[in-house]
Amino acid sequence: MASRRYGACILYHKAAVVRMMCRGMSTTAHPESQVDFLKGKVHKKHPGVTNLKTLRLPEELQTAAWSIIHRAQVNRLSDQSQSLTNFLWSRKRAIDDFTLRQQALSLERELWKKALEKSGEIDEQMVEDRIRRKVISELKRTTYHWTPMKYDEELGVVYMAARLAGGYAAVRRAVNEIKKRDPSFAPQSLLDFGSGLGTVVWASHSCWGDTLKEMVCVDSSGPMNILAERLLKGDDETAEPHIKHVYFRQFLPVSPKVQFDLVTAAFTLSELPNVQEREEAVLTLWRKTSSYLVLVENGTKEGHQILMEARNTLLTKQEKILHDTRPPSVFAPCPHELMCPKLASEHITPCNFLQVYEPLPLPKHHGHQTEKFSYLILTRTQPEETEGVEWARLIAPVLRRTRHVHCRMCCPDGQLEHLVVTARKHSRDVYRCARNSDWGDRLPIIPQVDDDVQTDSE
């Protein structure tokens, strides 16, 4: 009996020695695990985590919004707000003149080819008139008819009911990435282009508080500016605003030399009628940026493509007169400055992210809701990252399985990859970070292992 116990003890110690040797081999095989990318943080809060828990509107903002909605007494508010949400989500960019002409010429050639294939002589003038009418009719039927949004007081209240909480959640999640990755950044000035209800002011104030000394909100809609100011004052004209130093304008500041620490445009570029106006707006906003430019759009194909259009403009177009020579670099979400791999794939899907939030307490607004959005942050000065570590962006939900984690990522080399992360092959720290990460977070780059790597083209 004693000899059996002794033998079992010997086997246990041998197994322990083997485990220790394996751990040592694993560490040697993964030199990146020696780099302290955790920076003293626990795995649940590693530097790549930028997701936020369920967001709720600031109490003062929610109370003011409820008061304004209650006073307005808008008929069928729930139905109208749902219709507006659906309309804004399905909105596309206006088709530009060049594309329209190309479509017309292509259709005209096709119709002429069919007409000439018919036997017998044809009256060219009559056929030309018929084809012209057919082309115009077909283009009217198939072309998306973009119209600008014009907000009066009632539609502004409907927009508030529909989009205040979701818009706040998207912007708060985007600016949180700056706060998390660049903790020394303390903006004193803010410019918000297309400010609407002022959600950017509230989200920025939630992050940086009273360090912001000047916040300029620019929106061409007078009724929207009035609503935003009412929200700041708690729907009481005689009260002091909850957030001070907020100024409303209908046009951007004229001087090209005036810069702001933080410049934003949330759900605004999609409201501009053509490529030229979007390009001019983006270049103007970048000119006014001294540190960070934040752009947010709906998490649709259109929203994502508008942001990639802006990204391309800022990275490739050189202005004739530069008042600030520091070039733009992509801060988030892209881990590279190459062409977006999602646009290069055969089946284009948007690069988007999710944020859970509590909606306004209105009829048919029950439980938590999810805002799906796309965003782009550019900077003039990159914050310091851990030396020797590159980060990839998780672009889909993380699938946690027994002893392994499935991660779909956009990598610094501009490729989409599906990696199966394990502690044995990718180090214990990386594995635990992957297990505690989710869609939208960043993950330390993991060396490719043949049997664990699949391209995202499948």
Side-chain angles (χ1 to χ4, degrees):
M1 196 70 167
S3 63
R4 248 187 264 171
R5 282 202 202 98
Y6 178 75
C9 191
I10 292 292
L11 286 172
Y12 174 80
H13 283 296
K14 279 185 177 180
V17 170
V18 169
R19 283 197 298 273
M20 289 174 67
M21 288 174 66
C22 286
R23 284 195 194 115
M25 289 169 65
S26 175
T27 303
T28 306
H30 299 284
E32 82 284 354
S33 64
Q34 298 293 320
V35 180
D36 182 24
F37 64 84
L38 286 170
K39 295 183 179 178
K41 302 281 186 182
V42 295
H43 296 98
K44 284 186 179 181
K45 297 180 180 179
H46 70 81
V49 173
T50 53
N51 269 298
L52 293 169
K53 293 180 180 178
T54 303
L55 284 174
R56 188 174 187 273
L57 289 171
E59 196 64 43
E60 300 89 349
L61 177 58
Q62 180 160 298
T63 302
W66 172 248
S67 174
I68 292 170
I69 290 169
H70 182 69
R71 280 194 193 187
Q73 295 292 311
V74 177
N75 291 328
R76 297 173 48 251
L77 178 62
S78 294
D79 294 338
Q80 286 197 60
S81 63
Q82 187 58 56
S83 296
L84 181 60
T85 299
N86 294 341
F87 172 76
L88 293 173
W89 182 258
S90 62
R91 208 154 188 235
K92 294 180 172 32
R93 289 166 290 177
I95 190 166
D96 59 271
D97 293 340
F98 176 77
T99 305
L100 197 59
R101 281 196 296 272
Q102 292 296 104
Q103 288 182 359
L105 288 170
S106 176
L107 187 56
E108 188 178 346
R109 281 195 294 268
E110 188 181 331
L111 292 172
W112 266 111
K113 184 180 178 183
K114 287 180 181 178
L116 293 171
E117 284 174 355
K118 293 180 180 178
S119 58
E121 294 184 5
I122 59 171
D123 183 336
E124 288 192 12
Q125 186 60 49
M126 186 177 71
V127 172
E128 186 177 341
D129 290 342
R130 190 171 71 244
I131 286 175
R132 187 182 294 111
R133 288 195 300 271
K134 178 75 173 173
V135 167
I136 292 171
S137 173
E138 190 66 16
L139 288 177
K140 281 183 177 179
R141 188 180 68 83
T142 58
T143 303
Y144 177 77
H145 299 286
W146 186 91
T147 53
M149 290 295 296
K150 293 182 179 178
Y151 290 95
D152 55 18
E153 186 177 350
E154 182 172 305
L155 188 56
V157 172
V158 174
Y159 182 83
M160 186 189 299
R163 296 292 303 132
L164 181 66
Y168 172 85
V171 173
R172 180 76 174 77
R173 163 65 180 79
V175 296
N176 180 65
E177 179 134 3
I178 301 174
K179 185 173 176 63
K180 175 74 183 282
R181 290 173 56 190
D182 189 1
S184 63
F185 178 62
Q188 294 192 2
S189 57
L190 163 71
L191 171 65
D192 183 19
F193 178 60
S195 53
L197 298 170
T199 48
V200 168
V201 165
W202 290 91
S204 301
H205 187 264
S206 296
C207 272
W208 292 289
D210 294 331
T211 65
L212 287 158
K213 302 300 182 189
E214 180 189 17
M215 289 169 273
V216 178
C217 295
V218 178
D219 200 297
S220 59
S221 171
M224 277 298 215
N225 287 335
I226 291 169
L227 276 175
E229 196 161 13
R230 284 177 67 186
L231 286 170
L232 283 172
K233 291 186 174 183
D235 196 26
D236 181 353
E237 288 184 9
T238 62
E240 285 292 313
H242 291 294
I243 302 173
K244 300 187 185 330
H245 314 299
V246 181
Y247 309 98
F248 294 93
R249 303 281 186 271
Q250 287 189 287
F251 304 99
L252 282 167
V254 176
S255 173
K257 295 181 180 179
V258 175
Q259 286 190 318
F260 298 80
D261 297 332
L262 181 64
V263 177
T264 62
F267 310 103
T268 302
L269 296 179
S270 53
E271 294 299 324
L272 300 179
N274 53 56
V275 177
Q276 290 75 21
E277 287 202 28
R278 287 195 296 274
E279 187 174 289
E280 286 174 16
V282 165
L283 288 170
T284 300
L285 293 176
W286 178 247
R287 208 177 297 129
K288 296 190 174 300
T289 303
S290 68
S291 293
Y292 288 98
L293 171 63
V294 180
L295 306 175
V296 181
E297 290 293 337
N298 283 331
T300 59
K301 281 186 184 179
E302 289 291 315
H304 174 227
Q305 288 174 353
I306 284 171
L307 293 179
M308 292 302 97
E309 188 183 90
R311 179 181 182 267
N312 184 60
T313 294
L314 293 175
L315 293 180
T316 61
K317 300 235 170 169
Q318 186 72 35
E319 292 191 79
K320 292 179 182 177
I321 301 173
L322 287 174
H323 295 284
D324 189 333
T325 57
R326 292 173 297 165
S329 60
V330 178
F331 178 79
C334 319
H336 57 81
E337 295 184 355
L338 304 169
M339 180 181 178
C340 176
K342 289 212 166 194
L343 295 182
S345 62
E346 187 178 346
H347 304 289
I348 295 176
T349 55
C351 182
N352 52 27
F353 305 94
L354 300 178
Q355 179 58 51
V356 180
Y357 67 94
E358 289 185 19
L360 283 168
L362 298 171
K364 298 186 181 180
H365 285 190
H366 302 297
H368 294 164
Q369 293 186 8
T370 303
E371 177 74 8
K372 187 178 283 186
F373 66 99
S374 296
Y375 72 110
L376 174 67
I377 303 177
L378 292 109
T379 181
R380 291 197 187 270
T381 54
Q382 281 279 12
E384 290 184 10
E385 299 279 12
T386 304
E387 191 177 344
V389 176
E390 290 187 307
W391 296 80
R393 180 75 59 174
L394 291 162
I395 56 168
V398 171
L399 303 179
R400 300 167 186 85
R401 300 292 183 262
T402 305
R403 296 183 183 176
H404 66 279
V405 185
H406 290 265
C407 297
R408 290 188 180 270
M409 307 192 300
C410 183
C411 298
D413 62 359
Q415 299 298 312
L416 300 180
E417 289 185 357
H418 173 194
L419 289 97
V420 181
V421 183
T422 65
R424 183 174 65 85
K425 293 186 177 179
H426 304 109
S427 88
R428 176 175 170 275
D429 282 338
V430 171
Y431 168 71
R432 291 189 65 184
C433 284
R435 205 160 186 90
N436 285 287
S437 300
D438 215 332
W439 186 359
D441 290 335
R442 298 186 309 150
L443 202 61
I445 195 64
I446 304 161
Q448 295 185 1
V449 181
D450 291 341
D451 62 351
D452 277 353
V453 179
Q454 305 168 39
T455 62
D456 214 42
S457 59
E458 57 187 30

